[in-house]
Structure formats: structure tokens, C-alpha cells
Amino acid sequence: MAGCSDRPTTHHKPGTSHEEASGSTGRLLDREDESGHRYRQVDAADAPSVELAVRPDSVDGWNVRLSVHAFRFTPDSVGGGALPGRGHAHLYLDDRKIARVYGEWYHLPASAVPKGAHTLTARLYADDHTVWAVDGKPVESTAELSQAGRGSGHGHDDGGSDAPDEGSADRTVTITVDGKSVEPPPGRIELKKGQRIRLSVTSDRADTLHVHGYDKEADLPAGRAGTLTLTLDRTGLFEVETHGSGLLLMQLVVR
């Protein structure tokens, strides 16, 4: 018997791969993005597009607008098959992914942006996390922004009397927590003893950032970035997590 509704859905049937669920939408290429997601090429006439605009927020950071054409944000279908003109966006600050976006507007806190000039990129993805592409290039848009001084993030530093300049960190890691989702997904970062790392974490709920082994913490106000700058003065494997939600954010390897 036919189903009671023919409303299209992008969710997989059990045991069905992304490619199988996606049908004949576009053509999968061998090329991948920074996270290993393959490009899905479509004809220019059928391709979605995005225009990125950035303007300073009156209180903190920037308000980012993604104006899309022939595209619809579909947060309820993420993880399903690729249907034409549907999906979500990723935001990149220079070469670092800072957020997955499910709507037209996104607030970028100043604390997430190191001092200096930067390029912000919005790239469109299908529900199965493949990259919408035309002629082998991703469907994306860029805008320039500049951070004249230190961000206004909230949090504790690593014990010094003066908060260090952001440029003094050897590595800056930006993480976004939305419910149980962590972006980028938890992985390992390796640094050498004596180097400095700066963690910038934005959580959708109030929480506490904690670095095990170093016993350093920073407050995470809901919806605003909390920061922690740490001098790596001991070697080993250290987990970074949120206390309230108990989420693993990353593993820090110091050699």
C-alpha cells in the first residue's frame, strides 16, 4: 500500500548510506574539505548560492548574515540524504571552522577573533554533510573583518596578574557547544612543553570549562565565549571538558 504522505524527507532508512539515500542529486567528487566531507557537484543553473555580510554589533563582536538563493536551511533533516537546495552552512575564520549555521543570522563574539585582519567564509553543505560545489569549487562567500584589540570574552586566565595578549598564544582553539553537539568534533591537539594554548568556547547554556591535570577552569556564560589561556608546563594527555554537561571538547597532548 502507498504511504499516507508523499512529503519528501532526507532521513535515511536503516543501513542506507549517504550516497544511496541521496539518489542522483549532483555528482560526488574525490575532493574533500578540511573535515573530510566530499564535494557534491551540481550544474551552475541548479546550484544554490550564498552572500555573506558582516557588520559590527553594538554590544560585542559582529552580526553575520547569510543571504541564500535557491537554498533552504533544514536543521530537522541534518544527517539525512542530500536533496537539491537544502542543508546548512559552515563558518570559517581564516582556515578554522568556528560554527555550523542553520539560519540566516549568526552572532560572532569578539572573543572568538584574534587581533588582526581575518577572512570569514560561509560555505553551503547538504544534509548529508557533503559540500555543494560548482565546477569543482565549493559554494561559498567571503568577507573581511578586523579585530583592533582584545576580545571581550569572559573567563579566567592561567594565573598571571595581567591577561596576556592573544598574540602570545602559540595555538588558539575555538569550540562551539550546542546541546550535546561539539564543533569541531573532539580530537587530539599536540603541542610542546612550554607553549601556550588559548581556548575559546561558546556554549548555548551556562557551564564551566575545565582542563584536567592542570585543574584550570573558565566560566562559560550562555551564548557568549569563555576563554582560557594556559601555559603547558607539564607533559602528558589532558582532557578538556565542560563540567555541567560533561562533554569532552578535546584531548591535549603535551610532549
Side-chain angles (χ1 to χ4, degrees):
M1 293 180 63
C4 62
S5 171
D6 59 356
R7 182 171 58 89
T9 177
T10 64
H11 290 295
H12 292 181
K13 296 180 180 179
T16 303
S17 69
H18 288 310
E19 289 78 8
E20 292 169 336
S22 301
S24 58
T25 302
R27 179 169 63 91
L28 286 174
L29 306 181
D30 291 333
R31 186 175 179 184
E32 298 178 345
D33 71 356
E34 299 87 341
S35 301
H37 300 305
R38 293 177 66 180
Y39 281 29
R40 182 177 294 277
Q41 181 159 288
V42 293
D43 293 336
D46 302 322
S49 64
V50 58
E51 288 294 330
L52 184 64
V54 181
R55 65 188 186 195
D57 182 79
S58 60
V59 176
D60 170 69
W62 297 266
N63 291 316
V64 180
R65 184 176 185 180
L66 287 69
S67 299
V68 296
H69 174 71
F71 186 81
R72 181 157 61 95
F73 290 100
T74 51
D76 291 340
S77 298
V78 66
L83 292 182
R86 303 188 183 193
H88 55 276
H90 290 183
L91 280 181
Y92 292 85
L93 185 65
D94 299 327
D95 58 351
R96 304 193 328 269
K97 179 183 172 182
I98 59 174
R100 184 190 294 175
V101 182
Y102 295 108
E104 183 180 6
W105 289 95
Y106 177 80
H107 179 251
L108 178 62
S111 58
V113 181
K115 185 169 63 175
H118 302 279
T119 299
L120 189 68
T121 301
R123 184 181 300 160
L124 297 185
Y125 286 73
D127 284 325
D128 68 345
H129 303 288
T130 52
V131 185
W132 289 117
V134 175
D135 295 330
K137 298 181 180 180
V139 175
E140 61 183 31
S141 179
T142 62
E144 304 301 316
L145 58 86
S146 179
Q147 174 74 290
R150 285 169 36 99
S152 58
H154 299 270
H156 305 305
D157 191 59
D158 59 352
S161 58
D162 295 319
D165 187 280
E166 288 183 355
S168 66
D170 299 285
R171 181 73 175 269
T172 298
V173 179
T174 302
I175 300 172
T176 301
V177 178
D178 185 4
K180 295 293 184 180
S181 174
V182 177
E183 288 291 340
R188 288 189 177 183
I189 292 180
E190 295 191 12
L191 288 170
K192 295 180 180 179
K193 183 179 179 180
Q195 289 187 308
R196 291 171 61 84
I197 186 171
R198 181 175 184 272
L199 305 174
S200 177
V201 180
T202 301
S203 173
D204 62 334
R205 67 190 68 182
D207 211 326
T208 302
L209 172 66
H210 182 77
V211 182
H212 286 281
Y214 283 86
D215 291 326
K216 297 293 184 180
E217 295 184 345
D219 295 330
L220 299 179
R224 300 186 65 180
T227 61
L228 174 65
T229 304
L230 182 66
T231 299
L232 305 175
D233 57 5
R234 64 188 71 176
T235 59
L237 175 64
F238 308 96
E239 291 189 339
V240 181
E241 67 170 20
T242 56
H243 261 176
S245 55
L247 295 175
L248 176 66
L249 303 183
M250 58 175 284
Q251 290 182 322
L252 182 60
V253 179
V254 184
R255 302 186 185 279

